[in-house]
Amino acid sequence: LKAHPIPASESGWGIGDEVDEELYSRLRAISEEAAKANAAPGSDQQKIGDFWSTAMDTAKADALGAHPLDAELARIDAIDSVAGVLDAVFAFKPIGVRGLFGIGVGQDVFLALRRVDGFGQGGLGLPERDFYFNTEAGVARIRAEYVAHIARTFELLGRDARSARAAADRVMAFETELAKSSRKLEDLRDPEKNYNKMTMAELTAKYTPSIDWDARLAAWNLHPSYILVGQPEFLAAEDKLLRSTPLPVLKDYLRYHLVDDYASYLSSAFDAEGFRFHGQAMSGQKEQRPRWKRVIDEENDAMGMVLGRIFVALIEHPEVMRLCTRYGLPRKRLMKLVTKLLSDGWERRGG
C-alpha cells in the first residue's frame, strides 16, 4: 500500500485502474483533437468534439446554475395531486431520475430466454434500508450528513437555511417510512421470495390502487403479458404512504432527487455539493476526480460506439502498439479494452 497508495481522487485502486489510466489519456487526446478539428457535420469526430466542448465548459455551466432543469422543476411546482406526483415520477424515469420504486428490464430467472419488465422497492437516497435505522456511530454520521446535504441542496435552489433544513427533515422522514417497508438485504437474496409473477392489472388491484400500471407502461409503448414484482408489500405500503403524505413533502422529495441526480451536470456549486456527500461522506474520497475523466465516463456512456470507432482506427498506429509493448499489454488484451469500450461496458465511478 505504501508503494501503491490509493489516489486522493479515488475510493479504491487496482491493476485494472492502472491500465485504465492509459486508456483515459488516449480517449482524452481523441476528444481534445476532435474539439479542435472543425470536422464535417454529422461525422463521429464532430459529435465527440461537440460533446467534449460542451461538457468541459464550466463557465457556461456556472452561468446557467439550475436553469437546465427549469422545465422539470416547473412540472413539480405545478403538481396538485398524488396523480400529478406519479405523472412526474414516470416522466422522470426515462431521464434517469430515481424516485419511489425501482423499474427495469431483465432476465426472467426461471425462464432464462425471456426478458421481462420488473418492479421493486426503491426511492431511497441512502444505499439501502439499514442506513436509516442502524445505530452505529459511522452510519448515524452518514444519516446526519445526508439530511444536511438535502438541506444544502434546497439552499442552492434559493431557500433560506431554516426552511431548507425543515424541508430536508420532512424528506428524510418520508424516506424513512419507505425504508420501513423495504426488505432487508438478507431477504433480497432469496430468489423465490423476490419472484412474484403477475399481470399489471393484478398489481393494481391487489397492491397499488393508485397506480394503473397498464396505462403507465402503455405510455412507454410497453405491453408485457406479465411482469415480475420483487417486493409487492413495499409497493402496497408506498401506495398508502403517498395518499397520507402532505403534497408539499412529496414535491420536495421529487425536487431533491431531480437535482441530486443531475448535480454533476449543473454549476460548480451543485457539483461540489454532490461530491461532498456522495464522494467524501459516502465513499471516502479526499478530492473529486478531474472533470475531464468524468466527462470521458459520460462520453463513453452516451456515445461509446462513436468514441470506439475513432479508437479502433488507432489500433494499428505504431505509437499505440509501442505503448502496449511498454506496459506488457499484448494485442489480445488491447482488443479486449476496445471491445469493452464498444460495448459501453465501463462501470461509472462515483464522485
Side-chain angles (χ1 to χ4, degrees), residues 125-342:
L126 292 174
E128 48 94 10
R129 74 174 304 281
D130 286 351
F131 274 80
Y132 292 82
F133 307 113
N134 191 315
T135 58
E136 293 178 9
V139 181
R141 177 183 58 78
I142 287 175
R143 273 198 301 274
E145 288 279 359
Y146 181 52
V147 177
H149 163 62
I150 298 173
R152 288 191 294 267
T153 299
F154 287 141
E155 287 185 54
L156 289 173
L157 287 174
R159 298 192 189 182
D160 63 82
R162 184 175 180 178
S163 63
R165 179 63 194 221
D169 287 337
R170 290 190 289 268
V171 169
M172 183 60 169
F174 175 73
E175 289 194 10
T176 301
E177 289 301 312
L178 289 180
K180 286 179 182 178
S181 303
S182 302
R183 291 183 186 176
K184 295 182 178 181
L185 286 179
E186 55 267 34
D187 295 325
L188 294 174
R189 297 190 184 108
D190 186 333
E192 294 190 358
K193 190 176 181 180
N194 291 280
Y195 182 94
N196 301 281
K197 184 177 178 180
M198 63 186 74
T199 66
M200 291 183 291
E202 289 173 329
L203 176 58
T204 297
K206 293 182 180 180
Y207 300 103
T208 58
S210 298
I211 306 176
D212 183 344
W213 295 95
D214 269 312
R216 294 293 182 180
L217 267 66
W220 291 343
N221 199 29
L222 295 175
H223 307 277
S225 59
Y226 71 92
I227 56 175
L228 297 179
V229 182
Q231 303 79 35
E233 77 284 357
F234 169 84
L235 294 176
E238 183 175 66
D239 188 273
K240 295 177 182 177
L241 183 61
L242 285 174
R243 286 178 274 141
S244 64
T245 301
L247 206 55
V249 176
L250 297 177
K251 292 167 72 170
D252 276 340
Y253 167 82
L254 292 178
R255 288 187 187 99
Y256 163 68
H257 281 287
L258 170 67
V259 174
D260 188 58
D261 283 338
Y262 274 84
S264 62
Y265 309 105
L266 301 175
S267 66
S268 298
F270 286 100
D271 187 23
E273 177 53 43
F275 172 71
R276 176 155 55 172
F277 177 70
H278 297 289
Q280 292 180 320
M282 288 298 300
S283 301
Q285 290 174 247
K286 296 179 181 178
E287 61 186 46
Q288 194 169 29
R289 298 176 69 233
R291 186 177 183 89
W292 70 265
K293 282 189 176 180
R294 293 183 286 136
V295 170
I296 289 293
D297 288 341
E298 295 298 333
E299 194 174 62
N300 183 60
D301 283 347
M303 308 173 71
M305 287 296 291
V306 176
L307 190 58
R309 284 196 294 267
I310 298 176
F311 188 84
V312 166
L314 298 174
I315 291 300
E316 296 298 339
H317 194 286
E319 183 183 351
V320 177
M321 301 316 292
R322 282 198 301 272
L323 182 64
C324 297
T325 302
R326 175 185 170 193
Y327 285 92
L329 189 62
R331 184 182 182 84
K332 184 177 180 181
R333 173 61 175 157
L334 180 61
M335 290 308 298
K336 284 184 178 180
L337 286 174
V338 175
T339 302
K340 179 183 180 184
L341 179 64
L342 287 171

Side-chain angles (χ1 to χ4, degrees), residues 104-121:
V105 178
Q107 184 182 47
D108 186 327
V109 295
F110 293 115
L111 292 170
L113 297 180
R114 290 291 301 271
R115 301 281 290 177
V116 63
D117 297 299
F119 304 87
Q121 65 189 45

